[in-house]
Amino acid sequence: MPFHVSAAEFERIVGVALESIAAPLRARMNADNLMITVQPVASDDDRDNDIDEHVLGFYEGGTDSTFSAYEYPKRIVLLQSHIENWCATYAELVDQVTDTVLHEVAHYFGMSHDDIQQTRLRH
């Protein structure tokens, strides 16, 4: 059974996960105006781009690295109900939010899924 929290609590958990990222990396994210967005579910546009209920979050921006040009604001989107659907307890929710945030931040810094699998980007 999914574990649900309020939008405010979910955003608080996201904030804690972001604070776990090393200060120099957070400073780079801030300098680049990286947007962190929480959506309740995937939008119609997201679904048109193959974002389904199995996707917990995604990064939109340059694909090469944090320094690549991208005409729209770079952003990480976290899909609250998608993440909640994978969690049965508050502790699982916190772990999954943290893992999803770290995963998407790794994409922002230019890492591929293979790169992420080979690192210890789990808390």
Side-chain angles (χ1 to χ4, degrees), residues 30 32 45 63 73 75 77 91 94-95 98 102 117:
N30 289 336
D32 200 27
D45 286 340
T63 57
R75 72 182 187 138
V77 177
V94 170
D95 287 346
T98 302
L102 293 177
Q117 289 296 333

Side-chain angles (χ1 to χ4, degrees), residues 27-91:
R28 177 64 196 144
M29 292 162 54
N30 289 336
D32 200 27
N33 293 318
L34 175 66
M35 294 174 45
I36 309 295
T37 304
V38 175
Q39 292 179 191
V41 295
S43 69
D44 290 338
D45 286 340
D46 297 334
R47 285 187 286 281
D48 289 345
N49 289 311
D50 297 325
I51 303 298
D52 63 18
E53 70 277 356
H54 299 352
V55 175
L56 306 183
F58 56 94
Y59 167 68
E60 290 183 320
T63 57
D64 295 328
S65 77
T66 182
F67 306 105
S68 63
Y70 185 70
E71 67 182 81
Y72 300 105
K74 296 173 186 174
R75 72 182 187 138
I76 289 172
V77 177
L78 302 168
L79 301 168
Q80 182 173 345
S81 68
H82 296 209
I83 293 172
E84 289 172 337
N85 287 338
W86 287 94
C87 304
T89 67
Y90 185 82

